Amino acid sequence: MNRYMATIEYDGKAYAGYQIQNNALTIQEVLERALSTLFTNPTKIVASGRTDTGVSAKGQIIHFDADTTIPAERIPLALEHILPMDIAMTDCKIAASDFHARYSAKSKTYSYKIYLSKVNKPLYNRFYQYPYPIKINLMQNAICALEGTHDFRAFMASGSSVTDTVRTIDRAVMQIDEDIITIKVTGNGFLYNMVRIIVGTLLDIGRGHLQPNAICDMIATGDRSHGGHTAPAIGLCLDTVYYK
Amino acid sequence: MNRYMATIEYDGKAYAGYQIQNNALTIQEVLERALSTLFTNPTKIVASGRTDTGVSAKGQIIHFDADTTIPAERIPLALEHILPMDIAMTDCKIAASDFHARYSAKSKTYSYKIYLSKVNKPLYNRFYQYPYPIKINLMQNAICALEGTHDFRAFMASGSSVTDTVRTIDRAVMQIDEDIITIKVTGNGFLYNMVRIIVGTLLDIGRGHLQPNAICDMIATGDRSHGGHTAPAIGLCLDTVYYK
């Protein structure tokens, strides 16, 4: 029996998020079924963390234990014909027996993509369509306030039971390429809806609906109501999970 | 009655190409139905050219005649709720009465996207997955031979009835970004499957299955059999149509 570490890429549009649940199809269920089929043995997986309904991943990391003669590097290809086209294992290797996809993770990078357009653009179907004029420089100036170790309780969706809301954001950057904005945030942990609230707040700052210092204000007061809207799941992607 | 010029964007995956046909759903049919609904009058459209089954477009240009009180710039938004999510009108304006989307076109740019990977990558679902090792520099060196006015009969799918096979390629470039290759070709006209044969030939050169000078050889001999495979439709996109 070996422990495996695998990289998973998925287009989240068709799924009710990562985590297995009773009455909806999830990434975890599809992966566990495929691995159980491949290994002809019930196989459970553990991911670096959940992603919400509609969220995609380029570098979700999972671990699982299996007793198989298939070489680790051949498992992604062997799975390809069992998995649907919108979920893939892109890498697999044998890990230390105490490797844990969630507890061993040090930090993660999420990216969020927005396109600026009054009308739907079919080729940007994993981006958030934003139809309002915005001042990009206001957003550029505001984003750096996220970096550092702060209490991010104002960036957490209501209803979350998490009590320790201090997190460290190592890097928060925004790139512009014509009509596309990409926001990338790297941190040691993320509260529920945190990236989507960051993005919604930045857009509301850009639009002039919030003061340019709204992010500092949210960090100082811990008040969610000082922030902006929660950007939709569709633009969000778990890019990378970092381990020691 | 005004003549309108409109820009159309579509994800071609779900359609049997642009041109209307009896037993399959096409982009043209969906657009004509939507415009006829909007204007409550049967409306025909003319495009800059067809695209094949599975091919996408970012900047397909059409013209149509309509008698409507809707301002031209509002037509894209008015159409949005009649069109499916994978087809959109992204721009519309009143054109000269003799503007013709096909005959007035001077040149077009197509782009073709490839990702290099042994396994399926769900987030690249409009790219051609190429699993073999290739020498990028061989492709880079080969591509410039396309530029200029040449007889491109060797770059035409068999079965085409076109007899004048001389075309001018203004620009043919290849960009690399990590595991993604983008090939862009601008020219005054394209033969049937021409871009897909160009891409397949470049990949076969990169893989070492064709000589580095295969493109020169195809131009010189006019022999399709000296070229490479026809790359699949999925990576192809009509980017831009240029008018005077």
Side-chain angles (χ1 to χ4, degrees):
Chain A
M1 188 78 100
N2 281 312
R3 175 147 296 189
Y4 294 86
M5 173 189 184
T7 306
I8 307 295
E9 179 169 324
Y10 47 87
D11 180 344
K13 273 201 299 294
Y15 299 93
Y18 174 80
Q19 193 175 49
I20 217 158
Q21 51 182 282
N22 276 334
N23 298 307
L25 191 64
T26 62
I27 311 289
Q28 184 183 1
E29 179 179 336
V30 173
L31 280 168
E32 288 187 347
R33 280 193 192 177
L35 286 166
S36 301
T37 300
L38 183 66
F39 301 137
T40 58
N41 208 29
T43 306
K44 295 288 176 192
I45 63 175
V46 174
S48 71
R50 331 172 179 177
T51 52
D52 283 344
T53 299
V55 175
S56 294
K58 194 165 171 56
Q60 171 69 288
I61 301 291
I62 63 167
H63 80 248
F64 56 90
D65 296 322
D67 190 5
T68 176
T69 55
I70 307 171
E73 71 275 13
R74 298 292 299 275
I75 292 175
L77 216 53
L79 272 179
E80 189 163 288
H81 300 287
I82 313 175
L83 286 170
M85 284 298 286
D86 50 8
I87 303 180
M89 183 181 288
T90 58
D91 190 59
C92 185
K93 55 192 174 199
I94 293 175
S97 60
D98 64 346
F99 171 77
H100 192 284
R102 184 168 167 206
Y103 299 136
S104 307
K106 294 299 166 200
S107 63
K108 290 178 188 173
T109 298
Y110 281 94
S111 66
Y112 194 100
K113 283 186 184 285
I114 300 152
Y115 70 98
L116 302 172
S117 171
K118 285 197 164 52
V119 291
N120 166 45
K121 294 205 171 175
L123 299 185
Y124 294 159
N125 63 348
R126 275 188 301 269
F127 294 24
Y128 173 26
Q129 180 198 338
Y130 197 75
Y132 309 110
I134 46 171
K135 291 186 174 155
I136 294 288
N137 65 320
L138 289 178
M139 298 170 69
Q140 291 276 24
N141 291 339
I143 196 170
C144 54
L146 291 164
E147 294 184 358
T149 302
H150 306 293
D151 183 340
F152 283 102
R153 69 176 60 237
F155 295 86
M156 181 170 69
S158 63
S160 172
S161 60
V162 172
T163 50
D164 177 11
T165 50
V166 174
R167 298 288 184 278
T168 299
I169 298 295
D170 302 309
R171 200 168 145 78
V173 292
M174 197 172 102
Q175 296 160 337
I176 321 290
D177 184 11
E178 294 181 22
D179 55 346
I180 298 172
I181 299 174
T182 306
I183 292 166
K184 287 196 184 195
V185 185
T186 302
N188 69 346
F190 292 89
L191 303 167
Y192 187 54
N193 277 357
M194 182 164 155
V195 179
R196 292 165 55 186
I197 295 170
I198 288 172
V199 170
T201 299
L202 285 168
L203 286 167
D204 286 346
I205 290 170
R207 196 180 168 188
H209 281 196
L210 286 175
Q211 292 299 313
N213 67 344
I215 286 176
C216 298
D217 182 45
M218 289 168 77
I219 291 172
T221 62
D223 191 340
R224 171 72 186 90
S225 73
H226 291 203
H229 71 289
T230 303
I234 188 71
L236 187 60
C237 183
L238 172 57
D239 273 7
T240 316
V241 185
Y242 301 94
Y243 295 90
K244 252 197 193 145
Chain B
M1 189 76 102
N2 282 312
R3 176 148 295 191
Y4 294 86
M5 172 189 184
T7 307
I8 308 295
E9 179 170 324
Y10 47 86
D11 180 344
K13 272 200 300 293
Y15 299 92
Y18 173 81
Q19 193 175 51
I20 218 157
Q21 50 181 283
N22 277 333
N23 297 309
L25 190 65
T26 61
I27 312 288
Q28 184 182 3
E29 179 180 335
V30 172
L31 280 168
E32 289 187 346
R33 280 194 192 178
L35 286 166
S36 301
T37 300
L38 183 66
F39 301 138
T40 59
N41 208 30
T43 306
K44 296 285 176 194
I45 63 176
V46 175
S48 71
R50 332 171 179 177
T51 53
D52 283 344
T53 299
V55 175
S56 295
K58 193 167 171 58
Q60 171 69 288
I61 301 290
I62 63 167
H63 80 249
F64 56 91
D65 296 322
D67 190 5
T68 176
T69 57
I70 306 171
E73 71 275 13
R74 299 293 299 275
I75 293 175
L77 216 52
L79 272 179
E80 189 163 289
H81 300 286
I82 312 176
L83 285 170
M85 284 299 286
D86 50 8
I87 302 180
M89 183 181 288
T90 58
D91 189 60
C92 184
K93 54 193 174 197
I94 293 175
S97 60
D98 64 346
F99 171 78
H100 193 285
R102 184 169 168 204
Y103 300 136
S104 307
K106 294 299 167 200
S107 63
K108 290 178 187 173
T109 298
Y110 281 94
S111 66
Y112 194 100
K113 283 186 184 284
I114 300 151
Y115 70 97
L116 303 173
S117 171
K118 285 199 165 52
V119 291
N120 166 45
K121 294 206 171 175
L123 299 184
Y124 295 157
N125 63 347
R126 276 188 301 272
F127 295 25
Y128 173 27
Q129 181 198 338
Y130 197 75
Y132 309 109
I134 46 171
K135 291 187 174 155
I136 295 288
N137 65 320
L138 289 178
M139 297 170 67
Q140 291 276 24
N141 291 340
I143 195 170
C144 55
L146 291 164
E147 294 184 359
T149 301
H150 306 293
D151 184 339
F152 284 102
R153 70 176 60 238
F155 296 85
M156 181 170 71
S158 63
S160 172
S161 60
V162 172
T163 50
D164 176 11
T165 49
V166 174
R167 298 290 184 276
T168 300
I169 298 295
D170 302 310
R171 199 168 144 78
V173 292
M174 197 172 101
Q175 296 159 339
I176 320 292
D177 183 12
E178 295 182 22
D179 55 346
I180 297 172
I181 299 176
T182 306
I183 291 166
K184 286 195 184 194
V185 185
T186 302
N188 70 346
F190 292 88
L191 303 168
Y192 187 54
N193 279 358
M194 181 164 155
V195 179
R196 292 165 54 187
I197 295 170
I198 287 172
V199 170
T201 299
L202 285 168
L203 286 167
D204 285 348
I205 290 170
R207 196 180 169 188
H209 282 196
L210 286 175
Q211 291 300 311
N213 68 343
I215 286 177
C216 298
D217 181 46
M218 289 168 77
I219 292 171
T221 63
D223 191 341
R224 170 73 186 89
S225 73
H226 291 202
H229 70 290
T230 303
I234 188 71
L236 186 60
C237 182
L238 172 56
D239 274 6
T240 315
V241 185
Y242 301 94
Y243 295 89
K244 250 195 195 148

